[in-house]
């Protein structure tokens, strides 16, 4: 068997085997999952080093590994392994853990299938299967999550059917399913429809607006490990991979469609972060940040300039890293505090130092603060937008401001998250937790540290490591990116901090005294705290925003609810016909027979 | 490498910026005092304050982590030093500019405010939290019009390299030589006032109301760092605006350098005047002001710049 088949077949086979295992052998299943995921990760690294590869079947190139699919496959392998490692402890006392690992392994295999597929039908099959495992994995968390799972299935599955339509149109026009043989100019009605169908499938997967609503719902209701794995990292990778594939390979883009992508991207960024700003649940807040991240990538790909596309892809890799990291640290907090309600959290920083630092690093990375990786990828997207402006696009500054302001808003969300969870005034905390050093176990913080470390390495050595080996080979046309060397600036900041430490010691900072918080001579009582809920109340109370938020709370912008309402309205008519009276039905049948008779006899 | 460290620590980085910053804050204090019919402090007062704070003991509120409480002031001072180094290296030698340094500077200028927020949040004091929340909202308020205002010089000079901005303005006239440039400059001045958290935007500190907000628990060297950062910002921010909108400080001849210093002094006077003639706003008023009027005016400036005015 060809080596390229292993990352697809092996995890699916083992996953199905795990499904059949009795609950008693949980330990074996856990270990098997860990071993398989490490193997797959190693295999993806090996395959990456061997690219380009392809696998023929019956004179058709069925599977292909090129520069674009190479780094996505690598990321799939890495995230699969890290999530399994994290889950070993996180999922230890859940009764459904066997099914969980089974689904998880299957998902890794299916995702590899999507990335490697060079045939549109094969792609569509794997795509559909990934929607199915998404549904199953979200629903695993129990009754509360089933509504969220249904929502995800309806939105992603609905978009999936559009994808099949798009593929059918492509086949109708080009007579081929083989991706690397197709190159369709997007001119005329049918190609545009085909492009939109495929783009919508990608949008639904990554959660670009208006197909976003399943992600915050999933984040809030489902298990954190599932969210960190699927909507936060894997679905992002797959969706943007598809979008990059269709914009770069399958179709020859024109300006109008690029404009459409940029509108979707900018709207997603600003609206999603504004929603994240006022969420009161840690997981839901992160869910909206995931949605906003999708906006940046769509925006970057929409520019159509090499720098913008490279920026979008780099952002993809980075965002998978930091959102997974944020979710994993949220999971660690949930594991200790038994809640993710921002109102009831607070003061966990000194108790969970590793989680706090990891969360802070990935939070600063997502906000695009130099020298982390977020800054570099955002900077590349900005660069792409400015190049676009030079090329004569009159609206470039709108996208630029949306992206830059969006990143300020993201920072605001992260600050609120950090304040409400790790800093600020201590909320109700179990006594046994307060006294002990209550960090989570190594198998949980190890994946988090790896991811946070990647945030730093990909930022400081952006050009030398990820861009050079992963991103730039995948984007044709990026020959040279005039580049800021974040290394020196980082070094200088470190020098600055060290100098500060010296000044501290000169100034007797070792001479430290502790005292109670001073609030102007008043007594500090139990309830006197600024919780995460009130942090941005001012914004919520603004007239214009207030109405928008109220609308969002009644899910006026949720395509799922809107579709549902429309459907029920439509069904009302049918319902009226169903009176339940037998003679009425019989007379309808009679009418029907008469019509049929006319049609076939006449 | 060693040269960079020298730039960073001595000139034009930390030492230079700190000394000039403390001196210009003295001007600010002195003028304010004169406006209020007081005598005002002698020129070395800020240096004396700084040294005295260094000698004081550090008091840390109970139940907070030392590390989280002590690091933000250091980060903020490093960030502002880095900005100053970048700006001055480019002002002295525009060829050193790299692609997108404008964006780097804009991000780094946000860091001191972030440090204040983190420090305030780490104090575990409700008043500090309140101040941190206000500071963050203020950042959100001014960052939108600030970015919009910076778009105008980008359109005018067609570059995001600060060095090329200087060269372009030296050859083809300064950005504020046009209507759009003037409007954007005014917007940027208002945003600068808020970035400095000076009256009428001293909402996060609001001494009479929440007792210095985020700074309330800080004492000794840590407080000295924060104070020094603010003094340095009073120097760095106007320099940044002069560079981007007003053609920089000129090179070579004595007169062009003097003219550059004059440009800075004009901005300083404007800051001091605004601060002495206005009452403090509430945070919701400030945000409404920035997201409404100021953003509108900044958008107008961009439209004007796009049609070439």
């Amino acid at each position: 068997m060809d080596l390229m088949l292993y990352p697809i077949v092996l995890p699916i086979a083992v996953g199905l085997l795990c499904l059949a295992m009795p609950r008693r052998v949980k330990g074996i299943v856990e270990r098997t999952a860990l071993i398989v995921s490490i193997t797959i990760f190693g295999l993806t690294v090996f395959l990456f080093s061997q690219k380009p590869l392809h696998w023929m079947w019956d004179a058709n190139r069925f599977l292909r590994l090129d520069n674009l699919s190479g780094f996505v496959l690598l990321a799939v392998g890495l995230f699969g392994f890290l999530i399994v490692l994290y889950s070993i402890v996180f999922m230890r006392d859940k009764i459904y853990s066997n099914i969980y690992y089974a689904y998880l392994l299957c998902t890794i295999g299916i995702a590899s299938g999507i990335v490697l597929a060079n045939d549109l039908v094969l792609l569509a099959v794997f795509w559909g299967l990934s929607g199915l495992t998404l549904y199953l994995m979200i629903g695993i968390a129990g009754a509360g999550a089933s509504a969220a799972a249904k929502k995800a299935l309806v939105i992603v599955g609905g978009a999936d059917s559009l994808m099949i339509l798009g593929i059918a149109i492509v086949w109708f026009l080009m007579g081929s399913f083989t991706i690397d043989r197709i190159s369709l100019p997007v001119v005329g009605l049918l190609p545009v429809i085909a492009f939109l169908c495929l783009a919508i499938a990608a949008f639904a997967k990554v959660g670009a607006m208006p197909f976003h609503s399943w992600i915050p719902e999933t984040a809030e209701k489902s298990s954190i490990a599932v969210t960190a794995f699927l909507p936060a990292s894997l679905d992002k990778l797959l969706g943007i991979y598809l979008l990059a594939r269709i914009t770069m390979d399958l179709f020859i883009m024109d300006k109008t469609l690029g404009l459409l992508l940029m509108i979707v991207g900018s709207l997603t960024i600003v609206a999603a972060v504004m929603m994240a700003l006022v969420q009161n649940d840690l997981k839901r807040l992160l869910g909206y940040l995931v949605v906003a991240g999708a906006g940046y990538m769509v925006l970057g790909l929409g520019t159509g300039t090499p720098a913008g596309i490279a920026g979008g892809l780099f952002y993809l890799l980075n965002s998978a890293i930091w959102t997974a990291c944020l979710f994993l640290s949220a999971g660690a907090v949930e594991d200790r505090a038994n809640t993710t309600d921002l109102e009831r959290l607070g003061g966990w920083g000194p108790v969970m130092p590793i989680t706090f630092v990891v969360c802070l690093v990935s939070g600063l990375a997502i906000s695009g603060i130099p020298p982390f990786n977020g800054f570099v990828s955002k900077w590349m997207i900005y660069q792409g937008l400015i190049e676009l402006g030079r090329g004569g696009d009159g609206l470039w500054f709108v996208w630029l401001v949306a992206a830059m302001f969006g990143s300020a808003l993201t920072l605001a969300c992260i600050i609120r998250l950090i304040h409400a969870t790790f800093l600020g005034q201590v909320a109700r905390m179990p006594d046994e937790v307060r006294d002990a050093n209550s960090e989570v176990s190594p198998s949980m913080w190890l994946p988090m540290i790896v991811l946070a470390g990647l945030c730093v390495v990909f930022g400081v050595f952006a050009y030398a490591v990820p861009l050079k080996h992963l991103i730039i080979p995948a984007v044709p046309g990026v020959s040279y990116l005039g580049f800021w060397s974040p290394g020196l600036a980082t070094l200088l900041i470190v020098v600055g901090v060290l100098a500060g430490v010296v000044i501290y010691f000169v100034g007797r900072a070792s001479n430290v005294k502790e005292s109670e918080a001073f609030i102007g001579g008043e007594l500090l009582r139990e309830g006197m705290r600024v919780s995460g809920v009130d942090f941005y109340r001012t914004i919520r109370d603004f007239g214009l925003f207030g109405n928008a938020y109220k609308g969002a709370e009644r899910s006026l912008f949720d395509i799922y609810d809107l579709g549902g309402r429309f459907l029920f309205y439509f069904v009302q008519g049918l319902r009226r016909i169903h009176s339940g009276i037998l003679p009425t039905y019989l007379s309808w049948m009679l009418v029907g027979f008469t019509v049929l008779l006319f049609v076939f006899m006449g | 490498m060693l040269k960079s460290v020298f730039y960073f620590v001595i000139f034009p980085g930390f030492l230079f910026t700190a000394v000039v910053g403390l001196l210009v804050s003295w001007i600010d204090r002195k003028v304010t005092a004169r406006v209020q019919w007081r005598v005002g402090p002698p020129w070395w007062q800020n240096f004396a304050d700084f040294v005295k704070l260094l000698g004081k003991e550090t008091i840390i509120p109970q139940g907070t982590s030392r590390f989280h409480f002590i690091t933000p002031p250091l980060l903020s001072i490093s960030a502002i030093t880095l900005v100053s180094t970048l700006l001055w290296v480019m002002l002295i030698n525009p060829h050193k500019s790299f692609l997108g340094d404008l964006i780097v500077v804009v991000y780094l200028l946000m860091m001191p405010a972030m440090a204040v927020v983190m420090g305030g949040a780490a104090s575990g004091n409700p008043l500090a939290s309140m101040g941190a929340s206000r500071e963050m909202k203020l950042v959100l308020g001014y960052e939108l019009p600030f970015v919009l205002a910076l778009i105008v010089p980008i359109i005018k000079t067609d570059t995001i390299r600060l060095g090329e901005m200087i060269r372009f303005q030296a050859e083809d006239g300064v950005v504020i030589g046009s209507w759009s440039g003037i409007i954007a400059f005014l917007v940027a001045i208002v945003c600068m006032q808020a970035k400095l958290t000076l009256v009428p935007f001293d909402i996060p500190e609001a001494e009479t109301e929440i007792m210095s907000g985020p700074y309330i628990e800080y004492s000794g060297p840590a407080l000295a760092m924060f104070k020094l950062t603010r003094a340095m910002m009073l120097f760095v921010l106007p320099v940044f605006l002069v560079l981007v909108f007003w053609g920089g400080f000129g090179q070579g001849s004595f007169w062009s350098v003097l003219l550059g210093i004059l440009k800075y002094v004009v901005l300083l006077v404007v800051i001091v005047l605004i601060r002495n003639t206005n009452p403090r706003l509430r945070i919701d008023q400030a945000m409404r002001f920035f997201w409404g009027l100021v953003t509108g005016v900044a958008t107008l400036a961009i439209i004007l710049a796009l049609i070439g005015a």
Side-chain angles (χ1 to χ4, degrees), chain A residues 150-163:
Chain A
K150 196 172 84 186
K151 197 171 194 170
L153 183 71
V154 168
I155 293 177
V156 176
D160 195 16
S161 54
L162 285 178
M163 180 186 187

mmCIF file of all heavy atoms in Angstrom, chain A residues 150-163:
data_model
loop_
_atom_site.group_PDB
_atom_site.id
_atom_site.type_symbol
_atom_site.label_atom_id
_atom_site.label_comp_id
_atom_site.label_asym_id
_atom_site.label_seq_id
_atom_site.Cartn_x
_atom_site.Cartn_y
_atom_site.Cartn_z
ATOM 1 N N LYS A 150 -26.971 19.744 16.304
ATOM 2 C CA LYS A 150 -27.944 19.794 15.210
ATOM 3 C C LYS A 150 -27.715 21.054 14.361
ATOM 4 O O LYS A 150 -27.705 21.001 13.141
ATOM 5 C CB LYS A 150 -29.363 19.798 15.786
ATOM 6 C CG LYS A 150 -30.413 19.456 14.765
ATOM 7 C CD LYS A 150 -31.768 19.272 15.414
ATOM 8 C CE LYS A 150 -32.444 20.602 15.578
ATOM 9 N NZ LYS A 150 -33.689 20.556 16.326
ATOM 10 N N LYS A 151 -27.473 22.157 15.064
ATOM 11 C CA LYS A 151 -27.240 23.417 14.361
ATOM 12 C C LYS A 151 -26.027 23.287 13.450
ATOM 13 O O LYS A 151 -26.055 23.674 12.279
ATOM 14 C CB LYS A 151 -26.998 24.507 15.397
ATOM 15 C CG LYS A 151 -27.126 25.905 14.886
ATOM 16 C CD LYS A 151 -27.070 26.839 16.082
ATOM 17 C CE LYS A 151 -27.529 28.214 15.727
ATOM 18 N NZ LYS A 151 -27.695 29.057 16.882
ATOM 19 N N ALA A 152 -24.940 22.728 13.996
ATOM 20 C CA ALA A 152 -23.722 22.563 13.197
ATOM 21 C C ALA A 152 -24.008 21.676 11.997
ATOM 22 O O ALA A 152 -23.589 21.987 10.873
ATOM 23 C CB ALA A 152 -22.615 21.957 14.059
ATOM 24 N N LEU A 153 -24.749 20.601 12.227
ATOM 25 C CA LEU A 153 -25.022 19.675 11.126
ATOM 26 C C LEU A 153 -25.841 20.361 10.039
ATOM 27 O O LEU A 153 -25.552 20.214 8.848
ATOM 28 C CB LEU A 153 -25.767 18.446 11.642
ATOM 29 C CG LEU A 153 -26.026 17.399 10.562
ATOM 30 C CD1 LEU A 153 -24.721 16.737 10.175
ATOM 31 C CD2 LEU A 153 -27.022 16.358 11.020
ATOM 32 N N VAL A 154 -26.858 21.135 10.454
ATOM 33 C CA VAL A 154 -27.716 21.782 9.461
ATOM 34 C C VAL A 154 -26.907 22.784 8.645
ATOM 35 O O VAL A 154 -26.972 22.803 7.415
ATOM 36 C CB VAL A 154 -28.919 22.456 10.159
ATOM 37 C CG1 VAL A 154 -29.629 23.364 9.190
ATOM 38 C CG2 VAL A 154 -29.857 21.414 10.700
ATOM 39 N N ILE A 155 -26.107 23.613 9.326
ATOM 40 C CA ILE A 155 -25.375 24.651 8.588
ATOM 41 C C ILE A 155 -24.265 24.031 7.739
ATOM 42 O O ILE A 155 -24.176 24.275 6.530
ATOM 43 C CB ILE A 155 -24.806 25.698 9.562
ATOM 44 C CG1 ILE A 155 -25.956 26.459 10.214
ATOM 45 C CG2 ILE A 155 -23.892 26.664 8.828
ATOM 46 C CD1 ILE A 155 -25.541 27.455 11.232
ATOM 47 N N VAL A 156 -23.434 23.196 8.361
ATOM 48 C CA VAL A 156 -22.312 22.619 7.603
ATOM 49 C C VAL A 156 -22.828 21.640 6.550
ATOM 50 O O VAL A 156 -22.369 21.642 5.402
ATOM 51 C CB VAL A 156 -21.318 21.932 8.569
ATOM 52 C CG1 VAL A 156 -20.221 21.246 7.791
ATOM 53 C CG2 VAL A 156 -20.716 22.961 9.504
ATOM 54 N N GLY A 157 -23.817 20.826 6.935
ATOM 55 C CA GLY A 157 -24.360 19.867 5.980
ATOM 56 C C GLY A 157 -25.090 20.551 4.834
ATOM 57 O O GLY A 157 -24.993 20.128 3.684
ATOM 58 N N GLY A 158 -25.817 21.628 5.154
ATOM 59 C CA GLY A 158 -26.505 22.377 4.101
ATOM 60 C C GLY A 158 -25.516 22.932 3.098
ATOM 61 O O GLY A 158 -25.690 22.821 1.879
ATOM 62 N N ALA A 159 -24.417 23.497 3.645
ATOM 63 C CA ALA A 159 -23.389 24.037 2.763
ATOM 64 C C ALA A 159 -22.744 22.916 1.967
ATOM 65 O O ALA A 159 -22.330 23.108 0.816
ATOM 66 C CB ALA A 159 -22.340 24.776 3.583
ATOM 67 N N ASP A 160 -22.692 21.738 2.570
ATOM 68 C CA ASP A 160 -22.126 20.578 1.907
ATOM 69 C C ASP A 160 -22.900 20.226 0.639
ATOM 70 O O ASP A 160 -22.320 19.918 -0.408
ATOM 71 C CB ASP A 160 -22.167 19.416 2.908
ATOM 72 C CG ASP A 160 -21.282 18.279 2.476
ATOM 73 O OD1 ASP A 160 -20.439 18.518 1.600
ATOM 74 O OD2 ASP A 160 -21.435 17.180 3.016
ATOM 75 N N SER A 161 -24.245 20.317 0.745
ATOM 76 C CA SER A 161 -25.033 19.985 -0.441
ATOM 77 C C SER A 161 -24.781 21.008 -1.546
ATOM 78 O O SER A 161 -24.751 20.670 -2.731
ATOM 79 C CB SER A 161 -26.513 19.903 -0.091
ATOM 80 O OG SER A 161 -26.906 21.088 0.527
ATOM 81 N N LEU A 162 -24.571 22.281 -1.149
ATOM 82 C CA LEU A 162 -24.213 23.295 -2.149
ATOM 83 C C LEU A 162 -22.883 22.939 -2.806
ATOM 84 O O LEU A 162 -22.700 23.132 -4.012
ATOM 85 C CB LEU A 162 -24.110 24.670 -1.498
ATOM 86 C CG LEU A 162 -25.433 25.333 -1.148
ATOM 87 C CD1 LEU A 162 -25.179 26.661 -0.471
ATOM 88 C CD2 LEU A 162 -26.244 25.543 -2.409
ATOM 89 N N MET A 163 -21.975 22.406 -1.992
ATOM 90 C CA MET A 163 -20.667 22.031 -2.532
ATOM 91 C C MET A 163 -20.826 20.979 -3.617
ATOM 92 O O MET A 163 -20.196 21.055 -4.688
ATOM 93 C CB MET A 163 -19.803 21.495 -1.402
ATOM 94 C CG MET A 163 -18.441 21.068 -1.827
ATOM 95 S SD MET A 163 -17.643 20.304 -0.424
ATOM 96 C CE MET A 163 -16.030 20.081 -1.075
#
